[in-house]
mmCIF file of all heavy atoms in Angstrom:
data_model
loop_
_atom_site.group_PDB
_atom_site.id
_atom_site.type_symbol
_atom_site.label_atom_id
_atom_site.label_comp_id
_atom_site.label_asym_id
_atom_site.label_seq_id
_atom_site.Cartn_x
_atom_site.Cartn_y
_atom_site.Cartn_z
ATOM 1 N N GLY A 11 -46.387 126.013 7.663
ATOM 2 C CA GLY A 11 -46.219 127.411 8.077
ATOM 3 C C GLY A 11 -46.313 128.378 6.912
ATOM 4 O O GLY A 11 -47.177 128.237 6.041
ATOM 5 N N SER A 12 -45.387 129.308 6.884
ATOM 6 C CA SER A 12 -45.467 130.439 5.944
ATOM 7 C C SER A 12 -45.334 130.019 4.471
ATOM 8 O O SER A 12 -45.839 130.712 3.587
ATOM 9 C CB SER A 12 -44.402 131.472 6.320
ATOM 10 O OG SER A 12 -43.502 131.652 5.279
ATOM 11 N N GLY A 13 -44.654 128.934 4.222
ATOM 12 C CA GLY A 13 -44.587 128.430 2.847
ATOM 13 C C GLY A 13 -43.683 129.236 1.933
ATOM 14 O O GLY A 13 -43.860 129.226 0.706
ATOM 15 N N SER A 14 -42.665 129.893 2.493
ATOM 16 C CA SER A 14 -41.766 130.659 1.607
ATOM 17 C C SER A 14 -40.978 129.714 0.690
ATOM 18 O O SER A 14 -40.635 130.085 -0.432
ATOM 19 C CB SER A 14 -40.830 131.561 2.410
ATOM 20 O OG SER A 14 -39.925 130.799 3.172
ATOM 21 N N ASN A 15 -40.727 128.501 1.154
ATOM 22 C CA ASN A 15 -40.038 127.537 0.287
ATOM 23 C C ASN A 15 -40.961 126.982 -0.786
ATOM 24 O O ASN A 15 -40.534 126.726 -1.912
ATOM 25 C CB ASN A 15 -39.407 126.429 1.126
ATOM 26 C CG ASN A 15 -38.193 126.938 1.863
ATOM 27 O OD1 ASN A 15 -37.121 127.071 1.281
ATOM 28 N ND2 ASN A 15 -38.362 127.288 3.136
ATOM 29 N N LEU A 16 -42.225 126.805 -0.440
ATOM 30 C CA LEU A 16 -43.225 126.476 -1.460
ATOM 31 C C LEU A 16 -43.215 127.575 -2.525
ATOM 32 O O LEU A 16 -43.242 127.286 -3.728
ATOM 33 C CB LEU A 16 -44.609 126.377 -0.817
ATOM 34 C CG LEU A 16 -45.801 126.439 -1.776
ATOM 35 C CD1 LEU A 16 -45.829 125.222 -2.690
ATOM 36 C CD2 LEU A 16 -47.116 126.573 -1.004
ATOM 37 N N ALA A 99 -41.494 120.826 2.817
ATOM 38 C CA ALA A 99 -40.918 122.175 2.830
ATOM 39 C C ALA A 99 -41.430 122.908 4.060
ATOM 40 O O ALA A 99 -42.361 123.700 3.986
ATOM 41 C CB ALA A 99 -41.293 122.913 1.545
ATOM 42 N N GLY A 100 -40.833 122.570 5.219
ATOM 43 C CA GLY A 100 -41.310 123.153 6.468
ATOM 44 C C GLY A 100 -42.472 122.365 7.054
ATOM 45 O O GLY A 100 -43.320 122.918 7.735
ATOM 46 N N MET A 102 -43.867 120.159 9.704
ATOM 47 C CA MET A 102 -43.477 119.898 11.094
ATOM 48 C C MET A 102 -44.222 118.685 11.643
ATOM 49 O O MET A 102 -44.995 118.789 12.604
ATOM 50 C CB MET A 102 -43.755 121.133 11.954
ATOM 51 C CG MET A 102 -42.991 122.348 11.514
ATOM 52 S SD MET A 102 -41.216 122.069 11.528
ATOM 53 C CE MET A 102 -40.638 123.697 11.093
ATOM 54 N N LEU A 120 -36.533 119.379 3.714
ATOM 55 C CA LEU A 120 -35.660 120.543 3.926
ATOM 56 C C LEU A 120 -35.375 120.685 5.414
ATOM 57 O O LEU A 120 -36.305 120.619 6.235
ATOM 58 C CB LEU A 120 -36.397 121.788 3.418
ATOM 59 C CG LEU A 120 -35.753 123.144 3.696
ATOM 60 C CD1 LEU A 120 -34.439 123.296 2.922
ATOM 61 C CD2 LEU A 120 -36.723 124.263 3.321
ATOM 62 N N HIS A 121 -34.109 120.883 5.771
ATOM 63 C CA HIS A 121 -33.721 121.056 7.174
ATOM 64 C C HIS A 121 -32.836 122.300 7.289
ATOM 65 O O HIS A 121 -31.885 122.433 6.519
ATOM 66 C CB HIS A 121 -32.976 119.802 7.649
ATOM 67 C CG HIS A 121 -32.480 119.906 9.055
ATOM 68 N ND1 HIS A 121 -33.305 120.183 10.124
ATOM 69 C CD2 HIS A 121 -31.232 119.781 9.578
ATOM 70 C CE1 HIS A 121 -32.596 120.220 11.231
ATOM 71 N NE2 HIS A 121 -31.329 119.983 10.929
ATOM 72 N N PRO A 122 -33.133 123.190 8.250
ATOM 73 C CA PRO A 122 -32.374 124.449 8.309
ATOM 74 C C PRO A 122 -31.067 124.346 9.081
ATOM 75 O O PRO A 122 -30.734 125.218 9.893
ATOM 76 C CB PRO A 122 -33.357 125.390 9.015
ATOM 77 C CG PRO A 122 -34.101 124.496 9.948
ATOM 78 C CD PRO A 122 -34.219 123.165 9.239
ATOM 79 N N GLY A 130 -34.307 118.641 14.531
ATOM 80 C CA GLY A 130 -35.571 118.991 15.182
ATOM 81 C C GLY A 130 -36.083 120.346 14.732
ATOM 82 O O GLY A 130 -35.693 120.844 13.694
ATOM 83 N N VAL A 131 -36.933 120.931 15.557
ATOM 84 C CA VAL A 131 -37.655 122.131 15.120
ATOM 85 C C VAL A 131 -36.908 123.436 15.372
ATOM 86 O O VAL A 131 -37.344 124.490 14.908
ATOM 87 C CB VAL A 131 -39.054 122.238 15.791
ATOM 88 C CG1 VAL A 131 -39.963 121.114 15.343
ATOM 89 C CG2 VAL A 131 -38.930 122.271 17.313
ATOM 90 N N ILE A 134 -32.459 126.713 13.497
ATOM 91 C CA ILE A 134 -31.862 128.042 13.312
ATOM 92 C C ILE A 134 -31.484 128.644 14.677
ATOM 93 O O ILE A 134 -30.357 129.129 14.864
ATOM 94 C CB ILE A 134 -32.837 128.958 12.545
ATOM 95 C CG1 ILE A 134 -33.100 128.370 11.148
ATOM 96 C CG2 ILE A 134 -32.292 130.373 12.455
ATOM 97 C CD1 ILE A 134 -34.119 129.127 10.315
ATOM 98 N N ASP A 161 -34.633 114.269 10.267
ATOM 99 C CA ASP A 161 -33.634 115.149 9.652
ATOM 100 C C ASP A 161 -32.340 114.412 9.297
ATOM 101 O O ASP A 161 -31.231 114.952 9.438
ATOM 102 C CB ASP A 161 -33.351 116.368 10.563
ATOM 103 C CG ASP A 161 -34.580 117.252 10.713
ATOM 104 O OD1 ASP A 161 -35.375 117.337 9.756
ATOM 105 O OD2 ASP A 161 -34.749 117.859 11.783
ATOM 106 N N HIS A 187 -32.799 131.356 5.276
ATOM 107 C CA HIS A 187 -33.976 131.189 4.405
ATOM 108 C C HIS A 187 -33.615 131.461 2.945
ATOM 109 O O HIS A 187 -34.076 130.751 2.042
ATOM 110 C CB HIS A 187 -35.131 132.071 4.868
ATOM 111 C CG HIS A 187 -35.703 131.644 6.188
ATOM 112 N ND1 HIS A 187 -35.973 130.323 6.488
ATOM 113 C CD2 HIS A 187 -36.027 132.340 7.300
ATOM 114 C CE1 HIS A 187 -36.448 130.232 7.723
ATOM 115 N NE2 HIS A 187 -36.484 131.441 8.239
ATOM 116 N N GLU A 190 -32.002 128.459 1.726
ATOM 117 C CA GLU A 190 -33.003 127.381 1.586
ATOM 118 C C GLU A 190 -33.771 127.516 0.275
ATOM 119 O O GLU A 190 -34.029 126.525 -0.407
ATOM 120 C CB GLU A 190 -34.002 127.431 2.751
ATOM 121 C CG GLU A 190 -33.434 126.946 4.051
ATOM 122 C CD GLU A 190 -34.498 126.858 5.136
ATOM 123 O OE1 GLU A 190 -35.346 127.772 5.232
ATOM 124 O OE2 GLU A 190 -34.469 125.896 5.894
HETATM 125 C C1 LIG T 301 -37.732 126.288 6.991
HETATM 126 O O1 LIG T 301 -36.726 127.045 7.602
HETATM 127 C C2 LIG T 301 -37.422 124.815 7.084
HETATM 128 O O2 LIG T 301 -36.063 124.515 6.994
HETATM 129 C C3 LIG T 301 -37.959 124.491 8.449
HETATM 130 O O3 LIG T 301 -39.173 125.182 8.499
HETATM 131 C C4 LIG T 301 -39.050 126.402 7.763
HETATM 132 C C5 LIG T 301 -40.254 126.547 6.853
HETATM 133 O O4 LIG T 301 -40.272 127.831 6.263
HETATM 134 N N1 LIG T 301 -38.097 123.050 8.626
HETATM 135 C C6 LIG T 301 -37.706 122.400 9.721
HETATM 136 O O5 LIG T 301 -37.270 122.961 10.702
HETATM 137 C C7 LIG T 301 -37.857 120.899 9.674
HETATM 138 N N2 LIG T 301 -36.973 120.275 10.625
HETATM 139 P P1 LIG T 301 -41.372 128.189 5.172
HETATM 140 O O6 LIG T 301 -42.719 127.731 5.726
HETATM 141 O O7 LIG T 301 -41.303 129.682 5.033
HETATM 142 O O8 LIG T 301 -41.005 127.478 3.889
#
Side-chain angles (χ1 to χ4, degrees):
S12 119
S14 67
N15 287 281
L16 163 66
M102 299 302 184
L120 172 67
H121 177 56
V131 294
I134 298 176
D161 295 328
H187 292 315
E190 286 187 319

